Amino acid sequence: AVVSTQSTGIDLAENEDADVNVVVKGDTLLDQAAQVREDIDKACAGQKIDALYCVAGGWAGGNASNPDFVKNCDLMMKQSIWTSVISANVAAHHLNEGGLLTLAGATPCLEGTSFMMGYGLSKAAVHQLTKSLSTGDTGLPKGACVQCILPVTLDTPMNRKFMADADFSTWTTLPYIAEMFTKWTEEPSSRFPNGSLVKIITKDNKTTESVV
């Protein structure tokens, strides 16, 4: 979350690069949401947030017969759906008018994902939440804009560790995402229409964005 030039990290552990940290606790969605709202209230001290970037998530594979199918679905829902729901709730109460909320979807999850069902259903739910937050009486501040990014693979240390033989020229870098978020925050006219699912494709180290 960004308040003017101050950044607030919301995560399971502290982020040394953030000005303020909200460490998420609790075992249920209700507990986590209540604690985050309370801590954000204190961190903001009456100020409003210019932008809230939800970049939480993870990955787990497996189809319906996989021994860990239900376990993986539970994990994926916690990592993608819970975090998106909490972000939307924080945005509803703390985002500036005309502010920005970003959520994290995934391009592969626009279709069936039999080899990663838990991941697919969770990201599809985030896509749906994006549309709901941009249509009708959403509860968000006036003029707020919701953008859901749909990358294929992000170039992270963890992905490189577990996919060392992959073609990294097709992976989207984190600096690219950060620059895109910064531009959307500082230049509202650069944003896609409210509620957009923004497909992010990288090929030969060149990245393009398009609305699904």
Side-chain angles (χ1 to χ4, degrees):
V2 180
V3 182
S4 297
T5 57
Q6 175 178 293
S7 63
T8 301
I10 308 172
D11 207 336
L12 298 175
E14 290 194 358
N15 180 347
E16 61 182 16
D17 294 323
D19 297 306
V20 179
N21 278 284
V22 172
V23 178
V24 181
K25 303 172 184 177
D27 296 323
T28 69
L29 176 57
L30 289 175
D31 288 343
Q32 289 186 8
Q35 179 249 316
V36 169
R37 278 282 312 282
E38 181 179 353
D39 288 354
I40 287 292
D41 283 341
K42 296 176 182 176
C44 290
Q47 296 186 69
K48 292 295 185 178
I49 295 171
D50 296 323
L52 197 159
Y53 316 125
C54 179
V55 292
W59 185 88
N63 60 21
S65 66
N66 187 289
D68 293 325
F69 171 62
V70 175
K71 176 183 176 182
N72 287 343
C73 285
D74 178 65
L75 176 62
M76 293 297 94
M77 287 187 280
K78 288 176 178 176
Q79 292 182 337
S80 289
I81 299 177
W82 286 23
T83 53
S84 297
V85 168
I86 292 171
S87 296
N89 189 233
V90 170
H93 291 88
H94 293 283
L95 199 64
N96 264 321
E97 290 190 356
L100 172 68
L101 169 64
T102 72
L103 300 177
T107 291
C109 303
L110 292 170
E111 301 178 356
T113 54
S114 60
F115 63 98
M116 52 178 186
M117 288 186 176
Y119 181 81
L121 71 87
S122 296
K123 291 300 186 181
V126 177
H127 299 170
Q128 198 283 333
L129 178 61
T130 301
K131 294 299 183 182
S132 293
L133 287 169
S134 62
T135 305
D137 184 8
T138 68
L140 294 181
K142 181 180 179 181
C145 182
V146 185
Q147 309 273 264
C148 183
I149 62 169
L150 277 63
V152 177
T153 306
L154 293 175
D155 193 350
T156 66
M158 193 64 70
N159 281 341
R160 285 195 176 236
K161 177 181 178 181
F162 289 104
M163 294 184 280
D165 297 327
D167 179 4
F168 300 147
S169 71
T170 64
W171 291 12
T172 305
T173 67
L174 298 187
Y176 182 93
I177 299 296
E179 290 173 7
M180 182 175 64
F181 283 173
T182 299
K183 185 176 182 181
W184 286 351
T185 302
E186 298 178 347
E187 302 175 26
S189 62
S190 70
R191 300 170 184 171
F192 291 97
N194 189 23
S196 289
L197 304 181
V198 184
K199 183 184 290 188
I200 300 173
I201 301 296
T202 300
K203 183 178 181 181
D204 297 328
N205 296 309
K206 296 181 179 179
T207 302
T208 58
E209 307 155 20
S210 61
V211 175
V212 176

